[in-house]
Amino acid sequence: GENVEQHPSTLSVQEGDSAVIKCTYSDSASNYFPWYKQELGKRPQLIIDIRSNVGEKKDQRIAVTLNKTAKHFSLHITETQPEDSAVYFCAGNGANNLFFGTGTRLTVIP
Amino acid sequence: KAGVTQTPRYLIKTRGQQVTLSCSPISGHRSVSWYQQTPGQGLQFLFEYFSETQRNKGNFPGRFSGRQFSNSRSEMNVSTLELGDSALYLCASSLVKGEGEQYFGPGTRLTVT
């Protein structure tokens, strides 16, 4: 089945700096890659997703890039703010189900 | 539109007991997936139901089972509870199986003593 690896597990950045989280996947048939944000004590919520026919997608300060050949995709957050502090999960849809990475705890230092 | 709901929100059980958790998806969503969330392990896929049929199952022992009813509500059952089963159990519903946004419920926090 699909195996999604995510790095780093923790990331601290100064407010205003950029943050990058990287994921790799194993199933070449995967064609949908969402990113979820989970704030402390809350449920995961989708923040951006990308399909395999697109190399990059941007939504305000958030962007995701996908390299199908290398089987990796990344989340980029620019001009980070304290409210970006959360755990971020990447996922891939191998075998028609979402398989999640182990999460990245992002801390934005004011 | 009402979101995904899960009951109960908190549960304390002792080893050897069994437990049933419930999930009500967003109206119109036919796909319900279950995940186990533990610190350091992220979200681990348990199983997915679509139109009352289990489509996929993750790498969990047979003590973990589930079902889906005709109204798309889903239950998961864990028998012979072990200490390691303590976790947050999340369900998520979606319109389309396999892709598209999954909407998560608030989770059931299970503690096994």
Side-chain angles (χ1 to χ4, degrees), chain B residues 51-104:
Chain B
S51 294
E52 301 179 66
T53 301
Q54 185 183 93
R55 298 285 184 165
N56 282 295
K57 192 177 193 308
N59 190 25
F60 278 82
R63 300 185 296 106
F64 292 80
S65 63
R67 59 178 175 169
Q68 186 180 34
F69 302 94
S70 58
N71 61 357
S72 294
R73 189 177 70 85
S74 178
E75 289 181 347
M76 69 163 279
N77 184 277
V78 187
S79 62
T80 320
L81 284 166
E82 301 177 359
L83 295 178
D85 297 333
S86 295
L88 180 67
Y89 291 87
L90 291 159
C91 77
S93 75
S94 62
L95 266 174
V96 180
K97 181 175 69 67
E99 66 174 72
E101 182 170 1
Q102 287 201 357
Y103 295 82
F104 282 86

Coordinates of all heavy atoms in Angstrom, one line a residue, chain B residues 51-104:
Chain B
S51 N -21.1 3.2 0.9 CA -22.3 2.5 0.6 C -22.4 1.2 1.4 O -22.7 0.1 0.7 CB -22.5 2.3 -0.9 OG -22.6 3.5 -1.5
E52 N -22.2 1.2 2.6 CA -22.3 0.0 3.6 C -21.3 -1.1 3.3 O -21.4 -2.1 4.0 CB -23.7 -0.5 3.4 CG -24.8 0.5 3.8 CD -26.2 -0.1 3.6 OE1 -26.6 -1.0 4.4 OE2 -27.0 0.3 2.7
T53 N -20.3 -0.8 2.5 CA -19.3 -1.9 2.2 C -17.9 -1.4 2.6 O -17.6 -0.3 2.3 CB -19.3 -2.2 0.7 OG1 -20.6 -2.7 0.3 CG2 -18.3 -3.3 0.4
Q54 N -17.2 -2.3 3.3 CA -15.8 -1.9 3.6 C -15.0 -2.1 2.4 O -14.8 -3.1 1.8 CB -15.3 -2.9 4.7 CG -13.9 -2.5 5.2 CD -13.3 -3.4 6.2 OE1 -12.6 -4.4 5.9 NE2 -13.7 -3.2 7.5
R55 N -14.4 -0.9 2.0 CA -13.6 -0.9 0.7 C -12.1 -1.2 1.0 O -11.5 -1.8 0.2 CB -13.8 0.4 0.1 CG -15.2 0.8 -0.4 CD -15.6 0.0 -1.6 NE -16.9 0.4 -2.0 CZ -17.4 0.1 -3.2 NH1 -16.7 -0.6 -4.1 NH2 -18.6 0.5 -3.5
N56 N -11.7 -0.7 2.1 CA -10.2 -0.9 2.4 C -10.0 -1.0 3.9 O -10.8 -0.5 4.7 CB -9.4 0.3 1.9 CG -9.2 0.3 0.4 OD1 -8.5 -0.6 -0.1 ND2 -9.8 1.2 -0.3
K57 N -9.0 -1.7 4.2 CA -8.7 -1.8 5.6 C -7.2 -1.6 5.8 O -6.4 -2.1 5.0 CB -9.0 -3.3 6.1 CG -9.0 -3.5 7.6 CD -9.5 -4.9 7.9 CE -9.8 -5.1 9.4 NZ -8.7 -4.7 10.3
G58 N -6.9 -0.9 6.9 CA -5.5 -0.6 7.2 C -4.9 -1.8 7.9 O -5.5 -2.9 8.1
N59 N -3.6 -1.6 8.4 CA -2.9 -2.7 9.0 C -3.1 -2.7 10.5 O -2.2 -2.4 11.3 CB -1.4 -2.5 8.7 CG -0.6 -3.7 9.1 OD1 -1.1 -4.8 9.2 ND2 0.7 -3.4 9.4
F60 N -4.3 -3.1 10.9 CA -4.7 -3.2 12.3 C -5.2 -4.7 12.5 O -5.7 -5.3 11.6 CB -5.8 -2.2 12.7 CG -5.3 -0.8 12.9 CD1 -4.9 0.0 11.9 CD2 -5.0 -0.4 14.2 CE1 -4.4 1.3 12.2 CE2 -4.6 0.8 14.5 CZ -4.2 1.7 13.5
P61 N -5.1 -5.1 13.8 CA -5.6 -6.5 14.1 C -7.1 -6.6 13.9 O -7.8 -5.6 13.9 CB -5.1 -6.8 15.5 CG -4.9 -5.4 16.1 CD -4.4 -4.5 15.0
G62 N -7.5 -7.9 13.9 CA -8.9 -8.2 13.7 C -9.8 -7.7 14.8 O -11.0 -7.7 14.7
R63 N -9.2 -7.3 16.0 CA -10.0 -6.7 17.1 C -10.7 -5.4 16.7 O -11.6 -5.0 17.3 CB -9.1 -6.5 18.3 CG -8.3 -7.7 18.8 CD -7.5 -7.3 20.1 NE -6.5 -6.3 19.8 CZ -6.5 -5.0 20.2 NH1 -7.6 -4.6 20.9 NH2 -5.5 -4.2 20.0
F64 N -10.2 -4.8 15.7 CA -10.8 -3.6 15.2 C -11.7 -3.9 14.0 O -11.3 -4.5 13.0 CB -9.7 -2.6 14.7 CG -8.8 -2.1 15.7 CD1 -7.8 -2.8 16.3 CD2 -9.0 -0.8 16.3 CE1 -6.9 -2.3 17.3 CE2 -8.2 -0.3 17.3 CZ -7.2 -1.0 17.8
S65 N -12.9 -3.5 14.2 CA -13.9 -3.8 13.1 C -14.9 -2.6 13.0 O -14.9 -1.7 13.8 CB -14.7 -5.1 13.4 OG -15.5 -4.9 14.6
G66 N -15.6 -2.6 11.9 CA -16.6 -1.5 11.7 C -17.7 -1.9 10.9 O -17.8 -3.1 10.4
R67 N -18.6 -1.0 10.7 CA -19.8 -1.2 9.8 C -20.4 0.1 9.5 O -20.1 1.1 10.1 CB -20.8 -2.1 10.4 CG -21.4 -1.6 11.7 CD -22.5 -2.6 12.2 NE -23.0 -2.2 13.5 CZ -24.1 -2.8 14.0 NH1 -24.7 -3.8 13.4 NH2 -24.5 -2.5 15.2
Q68 N -21.1 0.1 8.4 CA -21.8 1.3 8.0 C -23.3 1.0 7.7 O -23.6 -0.1 7.1 CB -21.2 1.9 6.7 CG -21.8 3.3 6.3 CD -21.1 3.8 5.1 OE1 -20.7 3.1 4.2 NE2 -21.0 5.1 5.0
F69 N -24.1 1.9 8.1 CA -25.6 1.6 8.0 C -26.1 2.3 6.7 O -25.4 3.1 6.0 CB -26.3 2.2 9.2 CG -25.8 1.5 10.5 CD1 -24.8 2.1 11.2 CD2 -26.4 0.3 10.9 CE1 -24.4 1.5 12.4 CE2 -25.9 -0.3 12.1 CZ -24.9 0.3 12.8
S70 N -27.3 2.1 6.4 CA -27.9 2.6 5.1 C -28.0 4.1 5.1 O -28.0 4.7 4.0 CB -29.3 2.0 4.9 OG -30.1 2.3 6.0
N71 N -28.0 4.7 6.3 CA -28.0 6.2 6.3 C -26.6 6.8 6.4 O -26.4 8.0 6.6 CB -28.8 6.7 7.5 CG -28.2 6.2 8.9 OD1 -27.2 5.5 8.9 ND2 -28.8 6.6 10.0
S72 N -25.6 5.9 6.1 CA -24.2 6.3 6.0 C -23.5 6.4 7.4 O -22.3 6.6 7.4 CB -23.9 7.5 5.2 OG -24.2 7.3 3.8
R73 N -24.3 6.4 8.5 CA -23.6 6.4 9.8 C -22.8 5.2 9.9 O -23.1 4.1 9.4 CB -24.7 6.5 10.9 CG -24.2 6.7 12.3 CD -25.3 6.8 13.3 NE -25.9 5.5 13.5 CZ -25.5 4.6 14.4 NH1 -24.4 4.8 15.1 NH2 -26.2 3.4 14.5
S74 N -21.7 5.4 10.7 CA -20.7 4.3 10.8 C -20.4 4.1 12.3 O -20.4 5.0 13.1 CB -19.5 4.6 10.0 OG -18.5 3.5 10.1
E75 N -20.1 2.8 12.6 CA -19.6 2.5 13.9 C -18.3 1.7 13.8 O -18.1 1.0 12.8 CB -20.6 1.6 14.6 CG -21.9 2.3 15.1 CD -22.8 1.4 15.8 OE1 -22.6 0.1 15.8 OE2 -23.8 1.9 16.5
M76 N -17.4 1.9 14.7 CA -16.3 1.0 14.8 C -16.2 0.4 16.2 O -16.7 1.0 17.2 CB -14.9 1.7 14.5 CG -14.5 2.7 15.5 SD -12.7 3.1 15.3 CE -12.0 1.8 16.1
N77 N -15.8 -0.8 16.2 CA -15.7 -1.6 17.4 C -14.3 -2.1 17.7 O -13.6 -2.5 16.8 CB -16.7 -2.8 17.3 CG -16.8 -3.6 18.6 OD1 -16.0 -4.5 18.8 ND2 -17.8 -3.3 19.4
V78 N -13.9 -2.0 19.0 CA -12.6 -2.6 19.3 C -12.9 -3.6 20.5 O -13.5 -3.2 21.5 CB -11.6 -1.5 19.8 CG1 -10.3 -2.2 20.0 CG2 -11.6 -0.4 18.8
S79 N -12.5 -4.8 20.2 CA -12.8 -5.8 21.3 C -11.5 -6.1 22.0 O -10.4 -5.8 21.5 CB -13.3 -7.1 20.6 OG -12.3 -7.6 19.7
T80 N -11.6 -6.7 23.2 CA -10.4 -7.1 24.0 C -9.4 -6.0 24.1 O -8.3 -6.1 23.6 CB -9.8 -8.4 23.4 OG1 -10.8 -9.3 23.0 CG2 -8.9 -9.0 24.6
L81 N -9.8 -4.8 24.6 CA -9.0 -3.6 24.6 C -7.6 -3.9 25.3 O -7.5 -4.6 26.3 CB -9.7 -2.5 25.3 CG -10.9 -1.8 24.5 CD1 -11.7 -1.0 25.4 CD2 -10.3 -1.0 23.4
E82 N -6.6 -3.2 24.7 CA -5.3 -3.2 25.2 C -4.9 -1.8 25.5 O -5.4 -0.8 25.0 CB -4.3 -3.8 24.2 CG -4.7 -5.2 23.8 CD -3.7 -5.8 22.7 OE1 -2.8 -5.0 22.3 OE2 -3.9 -6.9 22.3
L83 N -3.9 -1.7 26.4 CA -3.4 -0.3 26.8 C -3.0 0.5 25.6 O -3.3 1.7 25.5 CB -2.2 -0.4 27.8 CG -2.5 -1.1 29.2 CD1 -1.3 -1.1 30.0 CD2 -3.6 -0.3 29.9
G84 N -2.4 -0.2 24.6 CA -1.9 0.5 23.4 C -3.1 1.0 22.5 O -2.8 1.7 21.5
D85 N -4.3 0.7 22.8 CA -5.4 1.2 22.0 C -5.8 2.6 22.4 O -6.7 3.2 21.8 CB -6.6 0.2 22.2 CG -6.3 -1.2 21.6 OD1 -5.5 -1.3 20.7 OD2 -7.0 -2.1 22.1
S86 N -5.2 3.1 23.5 CA -5.5 4.4 24.0 C -5.1 5.4 22.9 O -3.9 5.4 22.4 CB -4.8 4.8 25.2 OG -5.2 4.0 26.3
A87 N -6.0 6.2 22.4 CA -5.8 7.1 21.3 C -7.0 8.0 21.0 O -8.0 7.8 21.6 CB -5.4 6.3 20.0
L88 N -6.8 8.9 20.1 CA -7.9 9.7 19.5 C -8.4 9.0 18.3 O -7.5 8.7 17.4 CB -7.5 11.1 19.3 CG -8.5 12.0 18.7 CD1 -9.6 12.3 19.7 CD2 -7.9 13.4 18.2
Y89 N -9.6 8.6 18.2 CA -10.2 8.0 17.0 C -11.0 9.0 16.2 O -12.0 9.6 16.7 CB -11.0 6.8 17.4 CG -10.1 5.6 17.9 CD1 -9.8 5.6 19.3 CD2 -9.6 4.7 17.1 CE1 -8.9 4.6 19.8 CE2 -8.7 3.7 17.5 CZ -8.4 3.7 18.9 OH -7.6 2.7 19.4
L90 N -10.5 9.2 15.0 CA -11.2 10.2 14.2 C -11.9 9.5 13.0 O -11.4 8.6 12.4 CB -10.1 11.2 13.6 CG -9.4 12.1 14.6 CD1 -8.1 12.6 14.0 CD2 -10.4 13.3 14.8
C91 N -13.1 10.0 12.7 CA -13.7 9.6 11.5 C -13.8 10.8 10.5 O -13.7 12.0 11.0 CB -15.1 9.0 11.7 SG -16.4 10.2 12.0
A92 N -13.8 10.5 9.3 CA -13.9 11.5 8.3 C -14.8 11.1 7.2 O -14.9 9.9 6.8 CB -12.5 11.8 7.7
S93 N -15.6 12.0 6.7 CA -16.5 11.7 5.6 C -16.2 12.5 4.3 O -15.6 13.6 4.4 CB -18.0 12.0 6.0 OG -18.3 13.3 6.0
S94 N -16.5 11.9 3.2 CA -16.3 12.6 1.9 C -17.3 12.2 0.9 O -18.0 11.2 1.1 CB -14.9 12.3 1.4 OG -14.7 10.9 1.1
L95 N -17.5 13.1 -0.1 CA -18.4 12.8 -1.1 C -17.9 11.7 -2.0 O -18.7 10.8 -2.4 CB -18.7 14.1 -2.0 CG -19.8 15.0 -1.6 CD1 -19.8 16.2 -2.5 CD2 -21.2 14.2 -1.8
V96 N -16.6 11.8 -2.4 CA -16.1 10.9 -3.3 C -15.0 10.0 -2.7 O -14.2 10.5 -1.9 CB -15.4 11.7 -4.5 CG1 -14.8 10.7 -5.5 CG2 -16.4 12.6 -5.1
K97 N -15.1 8.8 -2.9 CA -14.1 7.8 -2.3 C -12.7 8.1 -3.0 O -12.6 8.1 -4.2 CB -14.6 6.4 -2.6 CG -13.7 5.3 -2.0 CD -14.3 4.0 -2.2 CE -14.3 3.5 -3.6 NZ -13.0 3.3 -4.1
G98 N -11.7 8.2 -2.1 CA -10.4 8.2 -2.6 C -9.8 9.6 -2.9 O -8.5 9.7 -2.9
E99 N -10.6 10.6 -3.2 CA -10.0 11.9 -3.4 C -11.1 12.9 -3.1 O -12.2 12.6 -2.8 CB -9.4 12.1 -4.8 CG -10.5 12.0 -5.9 CD -9.8 12.4 -7.2 OE1 -9.1 11.5 -7.7 OE2 -10.1 13.5 -7.7
G100 N -10.6 14.1 -3.0 CA -11.6 15.2 -2.6 C -11.5 15.3 -1.1 O -10.9 14.5 -0.4
E101 N -11.9 16.5 -0.6 CA -11.7 16.8 0.8 C -12.4 15.8 1.7 O -13.6 15.5 1.5 CB -12.2 18.2 1.0 CG -12.0 18.7 2.5 CD -12.3 20.2 2.7 OE1 -12.7 20.8 1.7 OE2 -12.2 20.6 3.8
Q102 N -11.7 15.4 2.7 CA -12.3 14.7 3.8 C -12.6 15.6 5.0 O -11.7 16.4 5.3 CB -11.3 13.6 4.3 CG -11.2 12.4 3.3 CD -10.7 11.1 4.0 OE1 -10.3 11.1 5.1 NE2 -10.6 10.1 3.2
Y103 N -13.7 15.5 5.5 CA -14.2 16.4 6.6 C -14.1 15.5 7.9 O -14.8 14.5 8.0 CB -15.6 16.9 6.4 CG -15.7 17.8 5.2 CD1 -15.8 17.3 3.9 CD2 -15.6 19.2 5.4 CE1 -15.9 18.1 2.8 CE2 -15.8 20.0 4.3 CZ -15.9 19.5 3.0 OH -16.0 20.4 1.9
F104 N -13.3 16.0 8.8 CA -13.1 15.2 10.0 C -14.1 15.6 11.1 O -14.5 16.7 11.2 CB -11.7 15.4 10.6 CG -10.6 14.7 9.8 CD1 -10.1 15.2 8.7 CD2 -10.2 13.4 10.3 CE1 -9.1 14.5 8.0 CE2 -9.2 12.7 9.6 CZ -8.7 13.3 8.4

